[in-house]
Amino acid sequence: FETTIRRDGWSVFGEQVRWATFPSVAAGWAFSEEPWMKGLYWLSFGKIRASWGKSGQKFRQRYLAHGLMTGSGNTFLGNGGVLPDKQGGVINRKLTWEETDQYDVGLDVSFWDYRIKLTADYYYRYTKGQLSRVELPGDIYFHDFQWQNALGVSNSGVEVELTADFFRETAVKWRMKFNISRNWNRFKKSHDGWDYQGNVLGKPLYRMKVYKTDGFYNSMDEVPSYYL
């Protein structure tokens, strides 16, 4: 059993939301060590494990929460002037960490003196508060959008790895590895509860979209003609 907790802060976030707490917990059970498993000579090792943890992600462009300014090249009373940065948007002092919750369940087993090893994992990860450029009503220059913690996305998947040592005590050694994985993602949340930038709520991200058709024509002779 293992547990950790960390407390992180970053000065570029809003003044009241700079700090966040990120805990995690993990547990494992090596069931092959139990006395009632000793009769299974072919089982070298077996373990079930599970974990949950929360992590935080900061965004690359700094000080978006405080409103960015840029030199304009213009002067006022002989002094150089500045204007709101076109990429900064309206000040948002609530801008904070992108937080991710992840759950994992896994199985590790080895057979016949560790000649065959199998590892299988299932995970579910939900990220909330993803940074998004939210358009604001109106068309006032420099103040038509704001950066917000607005989006939510989930990822889940399975991973399986199989390792087999056919020859390991001979001059010629042969080890084979096979792995397979599958991931599913979903667009879970937007700032206004509607679809966002081509992503549909409840559907996978960046899907290919095509028109539904009833077929196609091989030649112009197949196109029906009507005379009026």
Side-chain angles (χ1 to χ4, degrees):
F1 179 81
E2 180 182 2
T3 182
T4 63
I5 187 169
R6 61 180 295 164
R7 179 88 170 153
D8 290 340
W10 205 37
S11 62
V12 303
F13 291 136
E15 295 177 1
Q16 304 300 320
V17 290
R18 290 176 178 172
W19 290 88
T21 303
F22 304 112
S24 68
V25 60
W29 176 36
F31 57 87
S32 59
E33 302 300 316
E34 300 295 335
W36 46 271
M37 295 292 293
K38 298 302 181 182
L40 303 179
Y41 66 92
W42 44 267
L43 180 65
S44 304
F45 179 75
K47 182 179 181 180
I48 298 175
R49 46 190 168 74
S51 63
W52 167 82
K54 180 180 289 188
S55 60
Q57 174 67 37
K58 57 189 181 183
F59 38 84
R60 290 189 296 269
Q61 189 172 356
R62 302 188 176 194
Y63 304 110
L64 293 179
H66 304 281
L68 302 179
M69 306 295 287
T70 184
S72 66
N74 299 321
T75 60
F76 179 74
L77 297 178
N79 298 311
V82 294
L83 291 173
D85 186 86
K86 293 182 179 180
Q87 301 302 317
V90 176
I91 294 174
N92 181 7
R93 292 190 172 90
K94 295 182 179 180
L95 208 60
T96 186
W97 299 86
E98 298 178 354
E99 294 188 353
T100 297
D101 282 273
Q102 179 161 332
Y103 303 83
D104 290 270
V105 178
L107 172 68
D108 302 310
V109 288
S110 299
F111 307 97
W112 293 289
D113 195 24
Y114 297 92
R115 289 186 180 273
I116 298 178
K117 302 176 184 178
L118 175 67
T119 301
D121 286 275
Y122 169 79
Y123 63 87
Y124 177 82
R125 181 168 59 248
Y126 178 67
T127 301
K128 64 179 181 179
Q130 283 190 315
L131 190 65
S132 174
R133 174 173 167 150
V134 176
E135 302 297 328
L136 300 177
D139 56 358
I140 301 175
Y141 193 49
F142 299 120
H143 297 87
D144 56 354
F145 76 93
Q146 184 184 56
W147 291 102
Q148 298 181 9
N149 297 107
L151 305 182
V153 175
S154 70
N155 282 271
S156 61
V158 292
E159 299 176 347
V160 178
E161 182 179 273
L162 177 65
T163 303
D165 282 317
F166 294 101
F167 306 117
R168 60 183 182 184
E169 288 92 7
T170 58
V172 178
K173 295 179 173 57
W174 179 15
R175 168 178 286 188
M176 182 191 72
K177 275 195 174 185
F178 171 80
N179 64 77
I180 187 171
S181 63
R182 178 72 166 88
N183 181 80
W184 297 268
N185 61 47
R186 290 288 184 275
F187 181 52
K188 306 289 284 188
K189 181 180 181 296
S190 65
H191 71 280
D192 57 1
W194 294 85
D195 301 337
Y196 177 73
Q197 291 188 352
N199 292 311
V200 180
L201 285 170
K203 300 294 183 180
L205 296 169
Y206 312 116
R207 298 180 304 152
M208 293 184 62
K209 301 175 184 177
V210 297
Y211 288 105
K212 184 177 180 179
T213 68
D214 294 324
F216 57 91
Y217 298 112
N218 292 305
S219 67
M220 292 300 296
D221 296 333
E222 297 179 0
V223 179
S225 300
Y226 302 94
Y227 297 94
L228 300 178

